[in-house]
Amino acid sequence: MGNLFTPAIPGRKPAVVIIGPVAFVKEQSPVQYASRLVREGYATLVFDPRHHGESGGKPRRHESGAAKVEDLRASIDFLVAREDVDSDRIFILAICQGVNWGIEAATLDARVKALAIVAGHYLTPDVTRMYVGDTAEARIRRSGEAEARFKATGEVSYIPVVSAQPTPPDPTALLTAPPIHQFYIRWADRGPFWNFHGLWENRIAAMSEGAIWSHDVRAVIAGLATPTLMVHADRAASGPQIPRDLFEMIPAARKKLVWLGSQNQLQFYEDPITIDQVVPHVARFFSGGADRAERQ
């Protein structure tokens, strides 16, 4: 299930599909970027990945990078079939952990003319250690056991995305840092005044976690020939050095790195000042064509 934002301009329009952070729903950071990109003249699609939000798929809240790549490509199918979309100007914007799946989709699908990766939670062994320390092996093992149980019995076990309470953090939660808890826990609220929060749930299928912490985007990024804009900041996910190293690995002839300064990760989700800085960079890069070398 998705929402398409269309600019009120005539003719065939460039289009962007947006993928958000881990366990996201479309009403979170994707809609913040979509509501701005449409004012830049881009038809912009946000969607709930399969297993999440208003989309179908079981088990519920199963995180699958491979499925998200398929969903991105299916979203492109939808866009290119529309008479009001220019099929030669299709782009992907990926935020936080979504960068990993945006990168992979861009390497697989030549219809993607440019890629923007913003505040990336790049999945590498170093980033895994940054987030879960020496618990990675135990988490991957627990995930494997949950997957085996599901295949044998159909039973789905869950872990929280963030702790239900700020302190002490739940050691089984996917993300344990207090600021991440402060952002996400609000999205679990329900009621008529919170319908704009969508259907986010504070849980993911436990069998999802192993594929997250064992993923290594470096093998994919080394084949990324699609024109690529990377936007990051000192306190964004993955820290200040890993994104720079990954940027150097991108072989695309046209690539650009925009470093905003000291913004933290959550500012890239909903701080209007930060997002208003990012979107013009994205719009300009997408409109710049695929033949001009650009590096910053």
Side-chain angles (χ1 to χ4, degrees):
M1 179 70 70
N3 294 330
L4 180 66
F5 296 73
T6 54
I9 55 177
R12 296 168 71 86
K13 305 158 188 65
V16 182
V17 58
I18 301 179
I19 185 166
V22 64
F24 79 97
V25 292
K26 61 186 180 299
E27 289 82 3
Q28 294 174 320
S29 58
V31 79
Q32 297 287 344
Y33 288 84
S35 60
R36 290 163 169 85
L37 279 168
V38 71
R39 294 198 291 267
E40 300 280 350
Y42 290 85
T44 309
L45 178 65
V46 298
F47 66 95
D48 289 333
R50 69 186 74 180
H51 311 296
H52 298 277
E54 292 184 287
S55 290
K58 293 183 178 180
R60 300 304 298 168
R61 297 292 280 172
H62 177 48
E63 278 288 302
S64 167
K68 288 185 175 182
V69 171
E70 291 178 1
D71 289 344
L72 280 169
R73 301 187 72 183
S75 297
I76 294 170
D77 291 341
F78 168 77
L79 289 171
V80 300
R82 291 183 60 89
E83 292 184 356
D84 59 346
V85 166
D86 183 348
S87 61
D88 290 326
R89 292 186 292 167
I90 301 291
F91 310 103
I92 290 177
L93 167 60
I95 305 156
C96 189
Q97 201 174 109
V99 300
N100 301 279
W101 323 127
I103 290 166
E104 189 163 342
T107 65
L108 294 172
D109 201 319
R111 296 174 299 177
V112 180
K113 301 307 180 186
L115 168 70
I117 42 181
V118 175
H121 180 209
Y122 297 96
L123 293 174
T124 71
D126 286 342
V127 172
T128 292
R129 283 188 289 272
M130 185 187 302
Y131 278 79
V132 298
D134 59 4
T135 70
E137 287 188 11
R139 287 171 175 267
I140 293 168
R141 183 172 58 252
R142 178 183 67 184
S143 177
E145 292 167 353
E147 183 175 10
R149 190 162 54 249
F150 171 72
K151 289 179 178 178
T153 69
E155 175 191 350
V156 184
S157 54
Y158 289 92
I159 60 172
V161 177
V162 295
S163 302
Q165 68 290 321
T167 55
D170 183 344
T172 70
L174 177 71
L175 303 168
T176 57
I180 300 176
H181 164 270
Q182 291 165 2
F183 172 80
Y184 276 111
I185 201 63
R186 298 173 297 132
W187 289 88
D189 288 337
R190 291 290 179 268
F193 286 93
W194 297 105
N195 286 339
F196 66 92
H197 274 185
L199 297 178
W200 189 82
E201 300 174 64
N202 187 26
R203 63 174 187 161
I204 63 166
M207 62 182 174
S208 309
E209 191 175 25
I212 294 171
W213 302 126
S214 63
H215 189 79
D216 192 344
V217 73
R218 293 175 299 179
V220 183
I221 210 168
L224 181 59
T226 306
T228 300
L229 169 70
M230 177 186 287
V231 182
H232 210 79
D234 290 345
R235 294 190 294 160
S238 310
Q241 189 56 47
I242 290 170
R244 295 182 190 273
D245 294 341
L246 292 172
F247 179 78
E248 290 302 317
M249 293 177 61
I250 298 171
R254 180 178 178 241
K255 62 180 182 178
K256 183 175 183 179
L257 174 61
V258 172
W259 207 269
L260 293 188
S262 62
Q263 284 95 331
N264 66 58
Q265 184 70 9
L266 303 181
Q267 288 179 275
F268 286 95
Y269 291 177
E270 63 176 25
D271 171 32
I273 295 174
T274 298
I275 298 171
D276 284 347
Q277 284 182 274
V278 173
V279 167
H281 285 291
V282 173
R284 284 195 298 270
F285 190 82
F286 285 168
S287 68
D291 58 350
R292 179 168 53 87
E294 186 170 5
R295 189 180 181 91
Q296 176 171 311

